Protein backbone atom coordinates (compact mmCIF):
# COMPACT_ATOMS: atom_id res chain seq x y z
CA UNK A 1 0.00 0.00 0.00
CA UNK A 2 1.51 3.38 -0.95
CA UNK A 3 -0.33 5.11 1.89
CA UNK A 4 -0.08 4.20 5.58
CA UNK A 5 -0.77 5.65 9.01
CA UNK A 6 1.97 3.51 10.58
CA UNK A 7 5.01 5.64 11.55
CA UNK A 8 8.00 5.33 9.18
CA UNK A 9 10.50 2.88 10.72
CA UNK A 10 13.78 4.75 11.39
CA UNK A 11 17.26 3.29 11.43
CA UNK A 12 18.98 2.29 14.66
CA UNK A 13 21.47 5.10 14.02
CA UNK A 14 18.58 7.56 13.67
CA UNK A 15 17.19 6.28 16.95
CA UNK A 16 20.48 7.27 18.65
CA UNK A 17 20.39 10.81 17.25
CA UNK A 18 19.63 13.72 19.58
CA UNK A 19 18.85 17.39 18.95
CA UNK A 20 21.47 20.08 19.50
CA UNK A 21 20.45 22.10 22.55
CA UNK A 22 22.14 25.13 21.02
CA UNK A 23 20.20 24.79 17.75
CA UNK A 24 16.93 24.30 19.63
CA UNK A 25 17.52 27.37 21.82
CA UNK A 26 18.54 29.41 18.76
CA UNK A 27 14.99 28.95 17.45
CA UNK A 28 13.72 30.68 20.59
CA UNK A 29 16.32 33.42 20.51
CA UNK A 30 15.27 34.57 17.05
CA UNK A 31 12.98 37.00 18.91
CA UNK A 32 14.65 40.43 18.43
CA UNK A 33 14.02 41.55 22.02
CA UNK A 34 15.89 38.56 23.52
CA UNK A 35 19.37 39.22 24.92
CA UNK A 36 20.98 35.98 23.76
CA UNK A 37 24.10 34.59 25.46
CA UNK A 38 23.22 31.23 23.91
CA UNK A 39 24.73 30.42 20.49
CA UNK A 40 28.40 31.01 19.73
CA UNK A 41 27.23 33.32 16.99
CA UNK A 42 29.88 35.84 15.90
CA UNK A 43 28.86 39.50 16.19
CA UNK A 44 26.82 40.08 13.00
CA UNK A 45 27.44 43.82 12.95
CA UNK A 46 31.18 43.09 12.56
CA UNK A 47 30.77 40.91 9.46
CA UNK A 48 32.84 42.25 6.50
CA UNK A 49 29.68 42.71 4.43
CA UNK A 50 31.11 45.11 1.83
CA UNK A 51 34.27 43.02 1.44
CA UNK A 52 32.12 39.91 0.82
CA UNK A 53 30.06 41.81 -1.74
CA UNK A 54 33.20 42.93 -3.57
CA UNK A 55 34.78 39.45 -3.35
CA UNK A 56 31.65 37.85 -4.83
CA UNK A 57 31.77 40.24 -7.80
CA UNK A 58 35.50 39.68 -8.29
CA UNK A 59 35.05 35.89 -8.20
CA UNK A 60 32.20 35.93 -10.72
CA UNK A 61 34.21 38.23 -12.97
CA UNK A 62 37.28 36.01 -12.75
CA UNK A 63 35.77 32.54 -12.89
CA UNK A 64 32.45 33.19 -14.61
CA UNK A 65 30.19 30.11 -14.74
CA UNK A 66 32.89 27.90 -13.21
CA UNK A 67 32.14 29.66 -9.89
CA UNK A 68 28.64 28.15 -10.01
CA UNK A 69 29.58 24.72 -11.41
CA UNK A 70 30.28 21.46 -9.55
CA UNK A 71 33.86 21.42 -8.25
CA UNK A 72 36.30 18.91 -6.71
CA UNK A 73 35.57 17.21 -3.39
CA UNK A 74 39.02 18.07 -2.00
CA UNK A 75 38.24 21.77 -2.30
CA UNK A 76 39.21 24.94 -4.18
CA UNK A 77 42.95 24.52 -4.97
CA UNK A 78 44.04 28.11 -4.14
CA UNK A 79 42.30 27.83 -0.75
CA UNK A 80 43.88 24.46 0.03
CA UNK A 81 47.28 25.85 -1.01
CA UNK A 82 46.86 28.90 1.22
CA UNK A 83 45.82 26.75 4.20
CA UNK A 84 48.63 24.27 3.56
CA UNK A 85 51.25 27.04 3.41
CA UNK A 86 49.95 28.57 6.62
CA UNK A 87 50.06 25.21 8.45
CA UNK A 88 53.35 24.08 6.90
CA UNK A 89 51.83 21.02 5.23
CA UNK A 90 51.30 20.01 1.56
CA UNK A 91 47.95 21.08 0.03
CA UNK A 92 46.96 17.42 -0.39
CA UNK A 93 46.88 17.14 3.41
CA UNK A 94 44.19 19.84 3.55
CA UNK A 95 40.54 18.84 3.09
CA UNK A 96 37.90 21.57 2.76
CA UNK A 97 34.67 20.78 4.63
CA UNK A 98 31.34 22.58 5.02
CA UNK A 99 31.98 23.77 8.56
CA UNK A 100 34.15 21.97 11.08
CA UNK A 101 30.86 20.41 12.13
CA UNK A 102 30.93 18.40 8.86
CA UNK A 103 34.58 17.65 9.58
CA UNK A 104 33.52 16.04 12.86
CA UNK A 105 30.80 14.02 11.13
CA UNK A 106 33.12 12.75 8.38
CA UNK A 107 35.90 11.95 10.87
CA UNK A 108 33.39 9.95 12.90
CA UNK A 109 32.48 8.04 9.77
CA UNK A 110 36.05 7.20 8.74
CA UNK A 111 37.59 6.62 12.19
CA UNK A 112 34.98 5.06 14.46
CA UNK A 113 33.55 1.59 14.77
CA UNK A 114 30.43 1.01 16.91
CA UNK A 115 31.44 0.75 20.55
CA UNK A 116 34.72 2.62 20.18
CA UNK A 117 35.72 4.60 23.26
CA UNK A 118 36.18 8.31 22.58
CA UNK A 119 37.87 10.35 25.32
CA UNK A 120 36.44 13.84 25.70
CA UNK A 121 36.85 16.75 28.07
CA UNK A 122 34.14 17.11 30.68
CA UNK A 123 32.34 19.33 29.64
CA UNK A 124 33.00 19.46 25.92
CA UNK A 125 31.42 20.84 22.74
CA UNK A 126 27.98 19.25 22.53
CA UNK A 127 28.10 19.31 18.71
CA UNK A 128 30.99 16.83 18.81
CA UNK A 129 28.98 14.48 21.02
CA UNK A 130 26.08 14.87 18.60
CA UNK A 131 28.26 14.25 15.50
CA UNK A 132 30.13 11.21 16.87
CA UNK A 133 27.37 9.44 18.83
CA UNK A 134 25.55 8.08 15.73
CA UNK A 135 28.76 6.23 14.74
CA UNK A 136 28.53 4.26 17.94
CA UNK A 137 31.03 6.27 19.98
CA UNK A 138 31.03 5.58 23.72
CA UNK A 139 32.32 8.65 25.55
CA UNK A 140 34.69 8.58 28.48
CA UNK A 141 35.54 11.79 30.35
CA UNK A 142 39.21 12.75 30.58
CA UNK A 143 40.01 14.09 34.06
CA UNK A 144 40.15 17.88 33.83
CA UNK A 145 40.80 20.57 36.42
CA UNK A 146 40.61 24.36 36.35
CA UNK A 147 43.51 24.38 33.89
CA UNK A 148 41.88 21.92 31.51
CA UNK A 149 42.87 18.34 30.61
CA UNK A 150 45.13 16.65 33.17
CA UNK A 151 47.88 14.79 31.25
CA UNK A 152 48.42 12.49 34.24
CA UNK A 153 44.68 11.81 34.37
CA UNK A 154 44.73 10.97 30.66
CA UNK A 155 47.76 8.69 31.17
CA UNK A 156 45.92 6.77 33.89
CA UNK A 157 42.78 6.51 31.75
CA UNK A 158 44.72 5.19 28.74
CA UNK A 159 46.42 2.59 30.93
CA UNK A 160 43.03 1.21 31.91
CA UNK A 161 40.79 1.66 28.88
CA UNK A 162 41.23 1.00 25.13
CA UNK A 163 40.54 4.61 24.05
CA UNK A 164 40.17 4.91 20.25
CA UNK A 165 40.86 8.67 20.12
CA UNK A 166 40.81 11.87 22.16
CA UNK A 167 38.66 14.78 21.04
CA UNK A 168 40.01 18.02 22.55
CA UNK A 169 39.63 21.81 22.26
CA UNK A 170 42.87 22.97 23.92
CA UNK A 171 42.54 26.67 23.03
CA UNK A 172 39.59 28.75 24.34
CA UNK A 173 37.62 25.60 25.04
CA UNK A 174 33.93 25.32 24.32
CA UNK A 175 32.08 25.59 26.71
CA UNK A 176 34.48 26.56 29.53
CA UNK A 177 36.71 29.12 27.79
CA UNK A 178 39.79 27.45 29.31
CA UNK A 179 43.17 27.24 27.53
CA UNK A 180 45.79 24.53 28.06
CA UNK A 181 49.21 25.83 29.15
CA UNK A 182 52.31 25.14 27.06
CA UNK A 183 53.63 22.59 29.52
CA UNK A 184 50.29 20.76 29.56
CA UNK A 185 50.32 20.65 25.75
CA UNK A 186 53.79 19.13 25.75
CA UNK A 187 52.87 16.67 28.52
CA UNK A 188 49.66 15.73 26.68
CA UNK A 189 51.64 14.93 23.51
CA UNK A 190 54.15 12.89 25.55
CA UNK A 191 51.28 10.81 26.96
CA UNK A 192 49.68 10.47 23.51
CA UNK A 193 52.97 9.29 21.99
CA UNK A 194 53.47 6.76 24.77
CA UNK A 195 50.05 5.26 24.12
CA UNK A 196 50.01 5.85 20.34
CA UNK A 197 46.83 7.85 20.89
CA UNK A 198 45.12 9.63 17.99
CA UNK A 199 43.95 13.16 18.85
CA UNK A 200 41.34 15.26 17.07
CA UNK A 201 42.20 18.87 17.93
CA UNK A 202 39.29 21.19 17.30
CA UNK A 203 40.42 24.79 17.12
CA UNK A 204 37.67 27.15 15.92
CA UNK A 205 38.63 29.90 18.39
CA UNK A 206 42.43 29.77 18.24
CA UNK A 207 42.74 33.16 16.49
CA UNK A 208 40.45 34.91 18.98
CA UNK A 209 43.02 35.65 21.68
CA UNK A 210 42.54 38.99 23.44
CA UNK A 211 44.68 38.42 26.57
CA UNK A 212 47.79 36.51 27.62
CA UNK A 213 50.43 34.60 25.71
CA UNK A 214 49.71 32.91 22.35
CA UNK A 215 50.08 29.12 22.46
CA UNK A 216 51.11 26.76 19.65
CA UNK A 217 48.37 24.27 18.78
CA UNK A 218 48.87 20.57 19.55
CA UNK A 219 49.07 20.07 15.79
CA UNK A 220 51.92 22.58 15.40
CA UNK A 221 53.83 21.00 18.29
CA UNK A 222 53.26 17.48 16.93
CA UNK A 223 54.31 18.53 13.41
CA UNK A 224 57.53 20.03 14.83
CA UNK A 225 58.19 16.81 16.79
CA UNK A 226 57.73 14.90 13.51
CA UNK A 227 60.28 17.13 11.78
CA UNK A 228 57.56 18.58 9.54
CA UNK A 229 56.42 15.18 8.24
CA UNK A 230 52.61 15.21 8.57
CA UNK A 231 52.39 11.53 7.59
CA UNK A 232 53.74 10.57 11.03
CA UNK A 233 51.64 13.12 12.96
CA UNK A 234 48.82 11.67 15.07
CA UNK A 235 46.97 14.94 15.70
CA UNK A 236 44.16 15.66 13.22
CA UNK A 237 43.45 19.39 13.15
CA UNK A 238 40.05 21.03 12.54
CA UNK A 239 39.91 24.73 11.69
CA UNK A 240 37.21 27.07 10.44
CA UNK A 241 36.49 30.51 9.01
CA UNK A 242 33.24 30.68 10.97
CA UNK A 243 34.57 32.60 13.93
CA UNK A 244 37.08 34.85 12.16
CA UNK A 245 35.22 35.67 8.92
CA UNK A 246 31.59 34.46 8.61
CA UNK A 247 29.83 31.23 9.65
CA UNK A 248 27.10 31.30 7.01
CA UNK A 249 29.41 30.41 4.11
CA UNK A 250 30.12 27.08 5.93
CA UNK A 251 33.84 26.95 5.10
CA UNK A 252 36.33 25.00 7.22
CA UNK A 253 39.14 22.50 6.85
CA UNK A 254 40.82 19.34 8.17
CA UNK A 255 44.60 18.79 8.33
CA UNK A 256 45.47 15.07 8.46
CA UNK A 257 47.84 12.36 7.19
CA UNK A 258 47.20 11.34 3.56
CA UNK A 259 45.44 8.06 4.36
CA UNK A 260 42.85 9.90 6.48
CA UNK A 261 42.39 12.65 3.86
CA UNK A 262 41.80 10.02 1.15
CA UNK A 263 39.00 8.47 3.19
CA UNK A 264 37.55 11.87 4.14
CA UNK A 265 37.35 12.63 0.39
CA UNK A 266 35.46 9.40 -0.25
CA UNK A 267 33.14 10.02 2.73
CA UNK A 268 32.48 13.57 1.54
CA UNK A 269 31.78 12.34 -2.02
CA UNK A 270 29.00 10.29 -0.48
CA UNK A 271 27.83 13.14 1.79
CA UNK A 272 27.66 16.23 -0.42
CA UNK A 273 30.06 15.79 -3.43
CA UNK A 274 31.87 19.02 -2.49
CA UNK A 275 31.55 22.22 -0.44
CA UNK A 276 29.87 25.17 -2.22
CA UNK A 277 32.13 26.30 -5.08
CA UNK A 278 31.26 29.99 -4.88
CA UNK A 279 31.66 30.14 -1.08
CA UNK A 280 35.16 28.66 -1.22
CA UNK A 281 36.19 31.14 -3.92
CA UNK A 282 34.81 34.06 -1.90
CA UNK A 283 36.71 32.93 1.22
CA UNK A 284 39.87 32.46 -0.89
CA UNK A 285 39.43 36.07 -2.04
CA UNK A 286 39.31 37.29 1.59
CA UNK A 287 42.13 35.36 3.26
CA UNK A 288 45.04 37.57 2.22
CA UNK A 289 43.79 41.05 3.18
CA UNK A 290 40.41 40.92 4.85
CA UNK A 291 41.05 37.99 7.23
CA UNK A 292 43.94 39.57 9.18
CA UNK A 293 42.02 42.85 9.55
CA UNK A 294 38.87 40.98 10.61
CA UNK A 295 40.77 38.92 13.20
CA UNK A 296 42.17 42.13 14.73
CA UNK A 297 38.67 43.65 14.75
CA UNK A 298 36.92 40.75 16.45
CA UNK A 299 39.73 40.23 18.98
CA UNK A 300 39.31 43.85 20.06
CA UNK A 301 35.50 43.71 20.19
CA UNK A 302 35.32 40.29 21.88
CA UNK A 303 37.92 41.30 24.46
CA UNK A 304 35.79 44.32 25.35
CA UNK A 305 32.62 42.24 25.51
CA UNK A 306 34.29 39.61 27.66
CA UNK A 307 35.51 42.36 30.00
CA UNK A 308 32.00 43.84 30.11
CA UNK A 309 30.50 40.48 31.07
CA UNK A 310 33.18 39.79 33.71
CA UNK A 311 32.67 43.29 35.15
CA UNK A 312 28.89 42.88 35.27
CA UNK A 313 29.26 39.48 36.96
CA UNK A 314 31.77 40.87 39.48
CA UNK A 315 29.54 43.87 40.16
CA UNK A 316 26.44 41.73 40.74
CA UNK A 317 28.43 38.70 42.02
CA UNK A 318 25.34 36.54 42.49
CA UNK A 319 25.82 34.62 45.70
CA UNK A 320 27.59 31.28 45.40
CA UNK A 321 28.24 31.60 41.66
CA UNK A 322 31.68 31.30 40.12
CA UNK A 323 32.84 31.62 36.53
CA UNK A 324 35.86 31.18 34.27
CA UNK A 325 38.01 34.11 33.03
CA UNK A 326 38.86 33.33 29.38
CA UNK A 327 41.93 34.71 27.59
CA UNK A 328 40.05 34.48 24.28
CA UNK A 329 37.27 32.75 22.39
CA UNK A 330 33.55 33.31 22.85
CA UNK A 331 32.40 31.68 26.05
CA UNK A 332 32.60 31.75 29.79
CA UNK A 333 31.30 29.05 32.09
CA UNK A 334 29.24 29.61 35.20
CA UNK A 335 28.84 27.21 38.09
CA UNK A 336 25.74 27.89 40.19
CA UNK A 337 25.28 26.85 43.81
CA UNK A 338 24.61 23.12 44.20
CA UNK A 339 20.95 22.30 43.73
CA UNK A 340 20.25 25.22 41.38
CA UNK A 341 19.02 23.81 38.06
CA UNK A 342 20.17 25.81 35.03
CA UNK A 343 17.47 24.30 32.78
CA UNK A 344 14.77 25.59 35.10
CA UNK A 345 16.58 28.92 35.33
CA UNK A 346 16.56 29.12 31.51
CA UNK A 347 12.76 28.99 31.40
CA UNK A 348 12.37 32.03 33.66
CA UNK A 349 15.35 33.73 31.98
CA UNK A 350 13.75 33.49 28.52
CA UNK A 351 10.50 34.86 29.98
CA UNK A 352 12.59 37.75 31.33
CA UNK A 353 14.21 38.16 27.87
CA UNK A 354 17.61 36.50 28.35
CA UNK A 355 18.90 33.22 26.85
CA UNK A 356 21.94 31.02 27.58
CA UNK A 357 22.83 27.32 27.20
CA UNK A 358 22.33 25.13 30.26
CA UNK A 359 25.54 23.20 30.96
CA UNK A 360 24.19 19.65 31.23
CA UNK A 361 24.20 19.16 27.42
CA UNK A 362 27.98 19.63 27.35
CA UNK A 363 28.63 16.63 29.58
CA UNK A 364 29.00 13.21 27.95
CA UNK A 365 27.82 11.54 31.14
CA UNK A 366 24.07 12.03 31.69
CA UNK A 367 23.05 13.74 34.92
CA UNK A 368 26.18 15.88 35.29
CA UNK A 369 26.38 19.67 35.29
CA UNK A 370 22.79 20.53 36.18
CA UNK A 371 24.05 23.62 38.03
CA UNK A 372 26.28 24.88 35.20
CA UNK A 373 25.67 27.16 32.21
CA UNK A 374 27.51 28.58 29.22
CA UNK A 375 27.42 32.28 28.38
CA UNK A 376 28.51 33.55 24.99
CA UNK A 377 29.67 37.19 25.34
CA UNK A 378 30.31 37.99 21.67
CA UNK A 379 26.90 38.32 20.06
CA UNK A 380 25.39 41.31 21.86
CA UNK A 381 26.87 44.80 22.51
CA UNK A 382 28.23 45.74 25.95
CA UNK A 383 25.19 47.64 27.24
CA UNK A 384 22.96 44.63 26.55
CA UNK A 385 25.54 42.36 28.16
CA UNK A 386 25.31 44.37 31.39
CA UNK A 387 21.49 44.36 31.23
CA UNK A 388 21.34 40.63 30.53
CA UNK A 389 23.73 39.75 33.34
CA UNK A 390 21.65 41.91 35.69
CA UNK A 391 18.52 39.93 34.83
CA UNK A 392 20.33 36.60 35.35
CA UNK A 393 21.83 37.75 38.67
CA UNK A 394 18.37 38.77 39.95
CA UNK A 395 16.89 35.40 38.93
CA UNK A 396 19.75 33.50 40.57
CA UNK A 397 19.52 35.54 43.78
CA UNK A 398 15.75 34.95 43.90
CA UNK A 399 16.43 31.23 43.83
CA UNK A 400 18.83 31.34 46.78
C1 LIG B 1 34.33 23.43 19.26
C2 LIG B 1 33.51 23.68 18.02
N1 LIG B 1 33.73 22.92 16.92
C3 LIG B 1 33.01 23.13 15.80
C4 LIG B 1 32.04 24.10 15.74
C5 LIG B 1 31.25 24.24 14.46
O1 LIG B 1 31.81 25.29 13.73
P1 LIG B 1 31.61 25.40 12.15
O2 LIG B 1 30.84 26.66 11.92
O3 LIG B 1 30.85 24.18 11.68
O4 LIG B 1 32.99 25.46 11.55
C6 LIG B 1 31.79 24.93 16.85
C7 LIG B 1 30.74 26.02 16.81
N2 LIG B 1 29.95 25.96 17.99
C8 LIG B 1 29.18 27.16 18.29
C9 LIG B 1 28.21 27.43 17.18
C10 LIG B 1 27.10 26.45 17.08
C11 LIG B 1 26.09 27.29 16.38
C12 LIG B 1 24.83 26.65 16.09
O5 LIG B 1 24.58 25.48 16.45
O6 LIG B 1 24.10 27.42 15.47
C13 LIG B 1 28.46 27.00 19.63
O7 LIG B 1 28.93 26.17 20.41
O8 LIG B 1 27.55 27.77 19.93
C14 LIG B 1 32.55 24.70 18.00
O9 LIG B 1 32.33 25.46 19.11
Amino acid sequence: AAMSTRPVRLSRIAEQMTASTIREILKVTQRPDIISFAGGLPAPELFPLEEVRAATGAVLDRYGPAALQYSTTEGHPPLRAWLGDRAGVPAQNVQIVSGSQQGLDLLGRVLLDPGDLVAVENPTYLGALQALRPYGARFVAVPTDDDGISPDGLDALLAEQPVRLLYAIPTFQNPTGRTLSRERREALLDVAERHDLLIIEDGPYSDLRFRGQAQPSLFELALARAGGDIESVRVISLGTFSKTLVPGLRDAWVLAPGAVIDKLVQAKQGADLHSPTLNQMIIAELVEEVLPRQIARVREAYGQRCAAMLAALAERSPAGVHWTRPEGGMFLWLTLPEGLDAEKLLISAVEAGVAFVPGASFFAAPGEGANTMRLSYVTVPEDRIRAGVGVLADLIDQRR
Side-chain angles (χ1 to χ4, degrees):
M3 307 288 283
S4 161
T5 53
R6 279 197 310 279
V8 174
R9 189 170 58 77
L10 300 170
S11 71
R12 274 189 306 113
I13 282 193
E15 298 294 352
Q16 293 183 50
M17 288 175 184
T18 56
S20 155
T21 309
I22 301 170
R23 305 251 85 201
E24 293 310 307
I25 293 173
L26 283 182
K27 292 176 196 166
V28 170
T29 59
Q30 294 309 329
R31 277 173 30 201
D33 59 309
I34 283 258
I35 297 176
S36 177
F37 300 136
L41 274 59
E45 75 280 5
L46 298 180
F47 286 165
L49 218 59
E50 288 319 310
E51 292 87 341
V52 170
R53 188 196 313 274
T56 306
V59 157
L60 289 172
D61 290 348
R62 183 175 321 128
Y63 295 103
L68 305 171
Q69 181 57 282
Y70 283 119
S71 53
T72 63
T73 307
E74 289 80 353
H76 184 48
L79 186 56
R80 293 175 74 211
W82 185 84
L83 287 163
D85 288 349
R86 193 172 75 149
V89 304
Q92 64 260 19
N93 292 92
V94 181
Q95 172 61 39
I96 301 296
V97 286
S98 298
S100 32
Q101 193 67 37
Q102 186 184 59
L104 287 167
D105 178 59
L106 297 179
L107 284 169
R109 201 172 307 184
V110 305
L111 294 174
L112 294 182
D113 289 315
D116 275 354
L117 266 182
V118 173
V120 294
E121 295 153 295
N122 215 30
T124 190
Y125 170 50
L126 59 85
L129 303 176
Q130 184 180 18
L132 300 181
R133 192 173 281 123
Y135 297 107
R138 287 186 301 125
F139 297 108
V140 58
V142 179
T144 43
D145 57 28
D146 283 353
D147 298 323
I149 290 182
S150 149
D152 293 341
L154 176 63
D155 198 20
L157 172 68
L158 296 173
E160 285 150 26
Q161 308 215 33
V163 169
R164 175 70 186 83
L165 60 86
L166 164 68
Y167 167 77
I169 312 159
T171 307
F172 314 139
Q173 205 250 3
N174 180 359
T176 64
R178 290 187 189 120
T179 294
L180 268 191
S181 67
R182 177 60 182 267
E183 50 275 2
R184 285 223 168 167
R185 290 166 196 250
E186 299 284 7
L188 185 54
L189 288 175
D190 293 341
V191 169
E193 279 163 21
R194 221 177 8 257
H195 296 272
D196 193 18
L197 173 73
L198 181 63
I199 297 176
I200 295 178
E201 176 179 32
D202 196 356
Y205 307 104
S206 305
D207 287 326
L208 302 184
R209 174 173 289 280
F210 42 76
R211 261 181 342 102
Q213 187 71 8
Q215 293 291 351
S217 67
L218 295 178
F219 180 81
E220 285 164 55
L221 291 172
L223 187 63
R225 289 178 178 213
D229 169 22
I230 186 170
E231 293 311 325
S232 59
V233 170
R234 291 298 172 269
V235 177
I236 293 174
S237 172
L238 279 170
T240 182
F241 292 106
S242 290
K243 319 295 180 176
T244 48
L245 279 173
V246 291
L249 292 181
R250 306 307 299 129
D251 219 309
W253 64 91
V254 182
L255 305 179
V260 174
I261 295 286
D262 292 348
K263 283 303 170 187
L264 283 177
V265 170
Q266 292 170 12
K268 187 170 169 68
Q269 285 169 349
D272 67 357
L273 296 181
H274 63 82
S275 290
T277 311
L278 180 61
N279 294 11
Q280 293 183 70
M281 293 175 169
I282 292 169
I283 293 285
E285 200 69 22
L286 299 172
V287 289
E288 291 295 351
E289 307 219 329
V290 176
L291 179 61
R293 280 206 311 270
Q294 193 61 18
I295 287 176
R297 247 178 127 198
V298 296
R299 278 177 164 171
E300 165 83 19
Y302 294 179
Q304 287 165 358
R305 293 182 185 189
C306 183
M309 185 170 277
L310 289 172
L313 284 166
E315 204 176 298
R316 293 301 313 265
S317 64
V321 176
H322 43 270
W323 52 86
T324 55
R325 280 162 184 69
E327 297 178 343
M330 294 187 157
F331 310 112
L332 55 90
W333 180 248
L334 256 65
T335 304
L336 305 172
E338 283 297 329
L340 242 171
D341 183 323
E343 288 181 1
K344 290 203 184 74
L345 180 68
L346 177 64
I347 295 167
S348 35
V350 168
E351 277 162 20
V354 178
F356 60 85
V357 186
S361 322
F362 295 96
F363 288 84
E368 286 196 51
N371 65 324
T372 61
M373 52 195 272
R374 185 190 82 171
L375 296 180
S376 166
Y377 46 77
V378 301
T379 316
V380 301
E382 287 150 64
D383 56 327
R384 284 166 66 77
I385 289 175
R386 266 188 288 280
V389 167
V391 168
L392 287 179
D394 290 344
L395 290 171
I396 293 168
D397 285 340
Q398 285 158 22
R399 278 169 158 62
R400 299 290 311 123

